[in-house]
PDB file of all heavy atoms in Angstrom:
ATOM      1  N   PHE A 124     -27.903  30.299   5.998  1.00 92.00           N
ATOM      2  CA  PHE A 124     -28.489  29.033   6.359  1.00 92.00           C
ATOM      3  C   PHE A 124     -27.449  28.187   7.018  1.00 92.00           C
ATOM      4  O   PHE A 124     -26.528  27.634   6.365  1.00 92.00           O
ATOM      5  CB  PHE A 124     -29.064  28.332   5.129  1.00 92.00           C
ATOM      6  CG  PHE A 124     -29.939  29.236   4.245  1.00 92.00           C
ATOM      7  CD1 PHE A 124     -29.543  29.469   2.966  1.00 92.00           C
ATOM      8  CD2 PHE A 124     -30.973  29.867   4.822  1.00 92.00           C
ATOM      9  CE1 PHE A 124     -30.340  30.351   2.117  1.00 92.00           C
ATOM     10  CE2 PHE A 124     -31.750  30.792   4.047  1.00 92.00           C
ATOM     11  CZ  PHE A 124     -31.440  31.013   2.689  1.00 92.00           C
ATOM     12  N   LEU A 125     -27.476  28.127   8.307  1.00 90.00           N
ATOM     13  CA  LEU A 125     -26.458  27.661   9.147  1.00 90.00           C
ATOM     14  C   LEU A 125     -26.871  26.722  10.297  1.00 90.00           C
ATOM     15  O   LEU A 125     -28.017  27.023  10.808  1.00 90.00           O
ATOM     16  CB  LEU A 125     -25.726  28.747   9.785  1.00 90.00           C
ATOM     17  CG  LEU A 125     -24.671  29.597   9.078  1.00 90.00           C
ATOM     18  CD1 LEU A 125     -24.007  30.533  10.050  1.00 90.00           C
ATOM     19  CD2 LEU A 125     -23.634  28.673   8.470  1.00 90.00           C
ATOM     20  N   PHE A 126     -26.072  25.857  10.685  1.00 90.00           N
ATOM     21  CA  PHE A 126     -26.198  25.126  11.982  1.00 90.00           C
ATOM     22  C   PHE A 126     -26.343  26.186  13.069  1.00 90.00           C
ATOM     23  O   PHE A 126     -25.634  27.187  13.096  1.00 90.00           O
ATOM     24  CB  PHE A 126     -24.900  24.325  12.128  1.00 90.00           C
ATOM     25  CG  PHE A 126     -24.892  23.449  13.504  1.00 90.00           C
ATOM     26  CD1 PHE A 126     -25.866  22.568  13.680  1.00 90.00           C
ATOM     27  CD2 PHE A 126     -23.804  23.757  14.289  1.00 90.00           C
ATOM     28  CE1 PHE A 126     -25.792  21.809  14.882  1.00 90.00           C
ATOM     29  CE2 PHE A 126     -23.730  23.068  15.502  1.00 90.00           C
ATOM     30  CZ  PHE A 126     -24.726  22.076  15.789  1.00 90.00           C
ATOM     31  N   GLY A 127     -27.380  25.975  13.955  1.00 88.00           N
ATOM     32  CA  GLY A 127     -27.700  27.022  14.935  1.00 88.00           C
ATOM     33  C   GLY A 127     -26.483  27.516  15.830  1.00 88.00           C
ATOM     34  O   GLY A 127     -26.423  28.686  16.079  1.00 88.00           O
ATOM     35  N   GLU A 168     -22.080  26.134   4.448  1.00 97.00           N
ATOM     36  CA  GLU A 168     -22.193  24.640   4.702  1.00 97.00           C
ATOM     37  C   GLU A 168     -22.621  24.035   3.359  1.00 97.00           C
ATOM     38  O   GLU A 168     -23.212  24.770   2.481  1.00 97.00           O
ATOM     39  CB  GLU A 168     -23.353  24.404   5.697  1.00 97.00           C
ATOM     40  CG  GLU A 168     -22.932  24.902   7.104  1.00 97.00           C
ATOM     41  CD  GLU A 168     -24.144  24.751   8.192  1.00 97.00           C
ATOM     42  OE1 GLU A 168     -25.134  24.140   7.856  1.00 97.00           O
ATOM     43  OE2 GLU A 168     -23.958  25.218   9.285  1.00 97.00           O
ATOM     44  N   ILE A 170     -24.695  21.213   2.527  1.00 97.00           N
ATOM     45  CA  ILE A 170     -26.149  21.108   2.718  1.00 97.00           C
ATOM     46  C   ILE A 170     -26.421  21.689   4.031  1.00 97.00           C
ATOM     47  O   ILE A 170     -25.841  21.228   4.990  1.00 97.00           O
ATOM     48  CB  ILE A 170     -26.570  19.676   2.673  1.00 97.00           C
ATOM     49  CG1 ILE A 170     -26.331  18.984   1.309  1.00 97.00           C
ATOM     50  CG2 ILE A 170     -28.090  19.518   2.879  1.00 97.00           C
ATOM     51  CD1 ILE A 170     -26.704  17.507   1.193  1.00 97.00           C
ATOM     52  N   ALA A 171     -27.169  22.724   4.132  1.00 95.00           N
ATOM     53  CA  ALA A 171     -27.441  23.409   5.328  1.00 95.00           C
ATOM     54  C   ALA A 171     -28.380  22.561   6.221  1.00 95.00           C
ATOM     55  O   ALA A 171     -29.320  21.967   5.804  1.00 95.00           O
ATOM     56  CB  ALA A 171     -28.118  24.798   5.144  1.00 95.00           C
ATOM     57  N   ASN A 172     -28.037  22.474   7.467  1.00 90.00           N
ATOM     58  CA  ASN A 172     -28.689  21.810   8.562  1.00 90.00           C
ATOM     59  C   ASN A 172     -29.649  22.854   9.240  1.00 90.00           C
ATOM     60  O   ASN A 172     -29.083  23.837   9.748  1.00 90.00           O
ATOM     61  CB  ASN A 172     -27.665  21.275   9.502  1.00 90.00           C
ATOM     62  CG  ASN A 172     -28.203  20.774  10.871  1.00 90.00           C
ATOM     63  OD1 ASN A 172     -29.385  20.694  10.947  1.00 90.00           O
ATOM     64  ND2 ASN A 172     -27.332  20.511  11.828  1.00 90.00           N
ATOM     65  N   PRO A 173     -30.938  22.751   9.204  1.00 91.00           N
ATOM     66  CA  PRO A 173     -31.755  21.550   8.896  1.00 91.00           C
ATOM     67  C   PRO A 173     -32.566  21.771   7.550  1.00 91.00           C
ATOM     68  O   PRO A 173     -33.195  20.790   7.187  1.00 91.00           O
ATOM     69  CB  PRO A 173     -32.720  21.571  10.080  1.00 91.00           C
ATOM     70  CG  PRO A 173     -33.024  23.043  10.297  1.00 91.00           C
ATOM     71  CD  PRO A 173     -31.745  23.718  10.004  1.00 91.00           C
ATOM     72  N   ARG A 174     -32.575  22.787   6.960  1.00 93.00           N
ATOM     73  CA  ARG A 174     -33.500  23.039   5.777  1.00 93.00           C
ATOM     74  C   ARG A 174     -32.983  22.559   4.421  1.00 93.00           C
ATOM     75  O   ARG A 174     -33.600  22.639   3.427  1.00 93.00           O
ATOM     76  CB  ARG A 174     -33.945  24.536   5.670  1.00 93.00           C
ATOM     77  CG  ARG A 174     -35.268  24.922   6.261  1.00 93.00           C
ATOM     78  CD  ARG A 174     -36.401  24.319   5.467  1.00 93.00           C
ATOM     79  NE  ARG A 174     -36.264  24.692   4.044  1.00 93.00           N
ATOM     80  CZ  ARG A 174     -36.721  25.810   3.465  1.00 93.00           C
ATOM     81  NH1 ARG A 174     -37.278  26.775   4.187  1.00 93.00           N
ATOM     82  NH2 ARG A 174     -36.566  26.025   2.111  1.00 93.00           N
ATOM     83  N   THR A 175     -31.669  22.022   4.444  1.00 96.00           N
ATOM     84  CA  THR A 175     -31.056  21.500   3.260  1.00 96.00           C
ATOM     85  C   THR A 175     -30.856  22.355   2.099  1.00 96.00           C
ATOM     86  O   THR A 175     -30.632  21.964   0.908  1.00 96.00           O
ATOM     87  CB  THR A 175     -31.864  20.225   2.768  1.00 96.00           C
ATOM     88  OG1 THR A 175     -33.031  20.554   2.086  1.00 96.00           O
ATOM     89  CG2 THR A 175     -32.241  19.346   3.977  1.00 96.00           C
ATOM     90  N   GLN A 176     -30.814  23.688   2.297  1.00 96.00           N
ATOM     91  CA  GLN A 176     -30.360  24.595   1.288  1.00 96.00           C
ATOM     92  C   GLN A 176     -28.926  24.225   0.799  1.00 96.00           C
ATOM     93  O   GLN A 176     -28.091  23.988   1.711  1.00 96.00           O
ATOM     94  CB  GLN A 176     -30.456  26.046   1.625  1.00 96.00           C
ATOM     95  CG  GLN A 176     -31.793  26.531   2.029  1.00 96.00           C
ATOM     96  CD  GLN A 176     -32.019  26.538   3.617  1.00 96.00           C
ATOM     97  OE1 GLN A 176     -31.376  25.760   4.229  1.00 96.00           O
ATOM     98  NE2 GLN A 176     -32.922  27.467   4.047  1.00 96.00           N
ATOM     99  N   ILE A 200     -22.657  17.737   6.705  1.00 97.00           N
ATOM    100  CA  ILE A 200     -23.905  17.087   6.345  1.00 97.00           C
ATOM    101  C   ILE A 200     -23.583  16.125   5.095  1.00 97.00           C
ATOM    102  O   ILE A 200     -24.259  15.051   4.884  1.00 97.00           O
ATOM    103  CB  ILE A 200     -24.969  18.032   6.039  1.00 97.00           C
ATOM    104  CG1 ILE A 200     -25.201  18.937   7.310  1.00 97.00           C
ATOM    105  CG2 ILE A 200     -26.271  17.363   5.629  1.00 97.00           C
ATOM    106  CD1 ILE A 200     -25.637  18.146   8.564  1.00 97.00           C
ATOM    107  N   LYS A 222     -20.664  13.434  13.775  1.00 97.00           N
ATOM    108  CA  LYS A 222     -21.775  13.080  12.985  1.00 97.00           C
ATOM    109  C   LYS A 222     -21.434  11.855  12.154  1.00 97.00           C
ATOM    110  O   LYS A 222     -21.143  10.746  12.655  1.00 97.00           O
ATOM    111  CB  LYS A 222     -22.204  14.251  12.086  1.00 97.00           C
ATOM    112  CG  LYS A 222     -22.462  15.530  12.935  1.00 97.00           C
ATOM    113  CD  LYS A 222     -23.534  15.517  13.921  1.00 97.00           C
ATOM    114  CE  LYS A 222     -23.617  16.737  14.867  1.00 97.00           C
ATOM    115  NZ  LYS A 222     -23.682  17.977  14.211  1.00 97.00           N
ATOM    116  N   LEU A 344     -30.022  13.278   5.561  1.00 98.00           N
ATOM    117  CA  LEU A 344     -30.665  14.279   6.329  1.00 98.00           C
ATOM    118  C   LEU A 344     -31.817  14.922   5.469  1.00 98.00           C
ATOM    119  O   LEU A 344     -31.621  15.316   4.358  1.00 98.00           O
ATOM    120  CB  LEU A 344     -29.750  15.397   6.734  1.00 98.00           C
ATOM    121  CG  LEU A 344     -30.370  16.599   7.503  1.00 98.00           C
ATOM    122  CD1 LEU A 344     -30.186  16.336   8.948  1.00 98.00           C
ATOM    123  CD2 LEU A 344     -29.756  17.900   7.121  1.00 98.00           C
ATOM    124  N   LEU A 371     -26.961  13.871  14.572  1.00 95.00           N
ATOM    125  CA  LEU A 371     -27.089  13.562  13.188  1.00 95.00           C
ATOM    126  C   LEU A 371     -26.043  12.469  12.818  1.00 95.00           C
ATOM    127  O   LEU A 371     -25.088  12.352  13.393  1.00 95.00           O
ATOM    128  CB  LEU A 371     -26.657  14.817  12.309  1.00 95.00           C
ATOM    129  CG  LEU A 371     -27.458  16.067  12.452  1.00 95.00           C
ATOM    130  CD1 LEU A 371     -26.634  17.195  11.637  1.00 95.00           C
ATOM    131  CD2 LEU A 371     -28.798  15.874  11.936  1.00 95.00           C
ATOM    132  N   ILE A 385     -33.376  22.918  18.943  1.00 88.00           N
ATOM    133  CA  ILE A 385     -32.057  23.505  18.568  1.00 88.00           C
ATOM    134  C   ILE A 385     -32.132  24.932  18.049  1.00 88.00           C
ATOM    135  O   ILE A 385     -31.141  25.696  18.049  1.00 88.00           O
ATOM    136  CB  ILE A 385     -31.349  22.611  17.542  1.00 88.00           C
ATOM    137  CG1 ILE A 385     -32.323  22.189  16.401  1.00 88.00           C
ATOM    138  CG2 ILE A 385     -30.753  21.363  18.248  1.00 88.00           C
ATOM    139  CD1 ILE A 385     -31.654  21.286  15.296  1.00 88.00           C
ATOM    140  N   PHE A 386     -33.259  25.324  17.497  1.00 87.00           N
ATOM    141  CA  PHE A 386     -33.333  26.701  17.081  1.00 87.00           C
ATOM    142  C   PHE A 386     -34.293  27.591  17.938  1.00 87.00           C
ATOM    143  O   PHE A 386     -34.640  28.713  17.613  1.00 87.00           O
ATOM    144  CB  PHE A 386     -33.893  26.775  15.546  1.00 87.00           C
ATOM    145  CG  PHE A 386     -32.795  26.517  14.502  1.00 87.00           C
ATOM    146  CD1 PHE A 386     -32.094  25.262  14.543  1.00 87.00           C
ATOM    147  CD2 PHE A 386     -32.440  27.491  13.617  1.00 87.00           C
ATOM    148  CE1 PHE A 386     -31.211  24.991  13.574  1.00 87.00           C
ATOM    149  CE2 PHE A 386     -31.466  27.146  12.667  1.00 87.00           C
ATOM    150  CZ  PHE A 386     -30.819  25.931  12.715  1.00 87.00           C
ATOM    151  N   MET A 397     -34.431  32.259   8.261  1.00 78.00           N
ATOM    152  CA  MET A 397     -33.676  31.112   7.901  1.00 78.00           C
ATOM    153  C   MET A 397     -34.556  30.046   7.347  1.00 78.00           C
ATOM    154  O   MET A 397     -34.090  28.926   6.999  1.00 78.00           O
ATOM    155  CB  MET A 397     -32.861  30.542   9.117  1.00 78.00           C
ATOM    156  CG  MET A 397     -31.896  31.504   9.609  1.00 78.00           C
ATOM    157  SD  MET A 397     -31.127  30.879  11.183  1.00 78.00           S
ATOM    158  CE  MET A 397     -29.675  30.038  10.533  1.00 78.00           C
ATOM    159  N   ILE A 399     -37.103  28.493   8.732  1.00 88.00           N
ATOM    160  CA  ILE A 399     -37.447  27.410   9.649  1.00 88.00           C
ATOM    161  C   ILE A 399     -38.886  27.653  10.147  1.00 88.00           C
ATOM    162  O   ILE A 399     -39.183  28.525  10.866  1.00 88.00           O
ATOM    163  CB  ILE A 399     -36.555  27.457  10.939  1.00 88.00           C
ATOM    164  CG1 ILE A 399     -35.051  27.541  10.512  1.00 88.00           C
ATOM    165  CG2 ILE A 399     -36.828  26.226  11.851  1.00 88.00           C
ATOM    166  CD1 ILE A 399     -34.462  26.353   9.894  1.00 88.00           C
ATOM    167  N   ARG A 405     -36.866  17.708  11.692  1.00 97.00           N
ATOM    168  CA  ARG A 405     -35.609  17.261  11.066  1.00 97.00           C
ATOM    169  C   ARG A 405     -35.428  15.701  11.303  1.00 97.00           C
ATOM    170  O   ARG A 405     -35.716  15.213  12.457  1.00 97.00           O
ATOM    171  CB  ARG A 405     -34.442  17.973  11.611  1.00 97.00           C
ATOM    172  CG  ARG A 405     -33.128  17.628  10.897  1.00 97.00           C
ATOM    173  CD  ARG A 405     -31.908  18.198  11.571  1.00 97.00           C
ATOM    174  NE  ARG A 405     -31.537  17.531  12.813  1.00 97.00           N
ATOM    175  CZ  ARG A 405     -30.612  17.949  13.600  1.00 97.00           C
ATOM    176  NH1 ARG A 405     -30.062  19.094  13.473  1.00 97.00           N
ATOM    177  NH2 ARG A 405     -30.374  17.218  14.793  1.00 97.00           N
TER     178      ARG A 405
END
Side-chain angles (χ1 to χ4, degrees):
F124 311 125
L125 278 185
F126 179 59
E168 294 177 4
I170 300 178
N172 166 12
R174 259 288 312 274
T175 75
Q176 299 97 332
I200 304 301
K222 311 293 174 55
L344 180 93
L371 298 174
I385 48 176
F386 280 62
M397 295 173 94
I399 312 289
R405 184 186 75 189

